[in-house]
């Protein structure tokens, strides 16, 4: 039985293990195998999980608006219910971004072949920083001993809006592009 020549740039697991890439190669193949049990490709998986994150970001915007006393007719939830929905939709949105982040950072990396990919790479580097900034605003406001020590009332909505906008930019430059230029499906 003749051995097939390896494709250029692709090494066998044994070669990769020798140069220290074995665990990453194993994680990559395990990731690909897990993702392609449901989706046609890792890129389709990323597109749908990013879409779920953006959908949940819209829920975040609606429930945050309700908690701030706006959109009461559009979002007919009591404050405690809106608060719980807001927290859980945020947790799920961030959870949806973690495997997408793994694929983008560890398998693709920062790239700038064209404007769309460059914008996507830049927004991708910012998204978790914006998330942490929003969480810090919430934490510091809770820890403040007096109202004077809290951030101004507009800071939290701006931080939340910046996070939702960053997720939307990521979705437009990846999932929307994929659905309109590659394929719409799993």
């Amino acid at each position: 039985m003749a051995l097939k020549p390896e494709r250029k740039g692709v090494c066998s697991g044994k070669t990769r293990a020798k140069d220290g890439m074995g665990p990453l190669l194993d994680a990559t193949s395990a990731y690909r195998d897990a993702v392609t049990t449901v989706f046609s490709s890792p890129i389709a998986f990323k597109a749908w999980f990013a879409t779920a994150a953006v959908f949940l970001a819209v829920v975040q915007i609606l429930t945050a608006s309700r908690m701030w006393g706006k959109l009461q007719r559009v979002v007919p939830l009591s404050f405690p219910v809106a608060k719980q929905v807001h927290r859980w939709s945020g947790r799920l949105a961030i959870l949806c971004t973690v495997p997408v982040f793994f694929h983008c950072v560890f398998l693709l990396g920062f790239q700038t072949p064209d404007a769309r990919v460059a914008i996507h790479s830049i927004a991708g580097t910012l998204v978790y920083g914006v998330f942490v900034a929003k969480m810090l605003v919430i934490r510091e406001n809770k820890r403040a001993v007096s109202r004077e020590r809290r951030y101004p009332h507009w800071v939290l909505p701006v931080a939340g809006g910046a996070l939702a906008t960053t997720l939307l930019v990521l979705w437009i430059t990846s999932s929307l592009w994929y659905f309109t230029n590659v394929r719409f499906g799993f």
Side-chain angles (χ1 to χ4, degrees), residues 127-140:
V127 70
Y128 285 106
V130 174
F131 169 72
V132 168
K134 180 187 176 202
M135 294 300 107
L136 287 174
V137 167
I138 292 169
R139 189 182 105 192
E140 292 304 313

Side-chain angles (χ1 to χ4, degrees), residues 62-76:
L62 292 172
T63 54
S65 297
R66 171 60 188 95
M67 291 184 327
W68 284 85
K70 311 292 182 198
L71 300 179
Q72 293 177 5
R73 290 187 180 160
V74 176
V75 184

Side-chain angles (χ1 to χ4, degrees), residues 66-165:
R66 171 60 188 95
M67 291 184 327
W68 284 85
K70 311 292 182 198
L71 300 179
Q72 293 177 5
R73 290 187 180 160
V74 176
V75 184
L77 301 173
S78 67
F79 182 85
V81 172
K83 183 177 174 182
Q84 284 298 97
V85 171
H86 185 79
R87 285 183 176 178
W88 278 102
S89 62
R91 290 171 182 151
L92 291 172
I94 291 300
L95 190 63
C96 286
T97 67
V98 171
V100 176
F101 173 79
F102 170 81
H103 187 272
C104 289
V105 170
F106 293 109
L107 304 181
L108 299 177
F110 191 93
Q111 298 179 12
T112 57
D114 59 36
R116 178 190 64 83
V117 176
I119 291 167
H120 184 78
S121 292
I122 292 166
T125 60
L126 296 174
V127 70
Y128 285 106
V130 174
F131 169 72
V132 168
K134 180 187 176 202
M135 294 300 107
L136 287 174
V137 167
I138 292 169
R139 189 182 105 192
E140 292 304 313
N141 275 351
K142 284 183 180 180
R143 294 175 69 191
V145 292
S146 66
R147 240 185 192 353
E148 293 80 31
R149 297 207 176 225
R150 290 182 177 181
Y151 286 101
H153 73 280
W154 56 266
V155 173
L156 185 57
V158 167
L163 181 56
T165 302

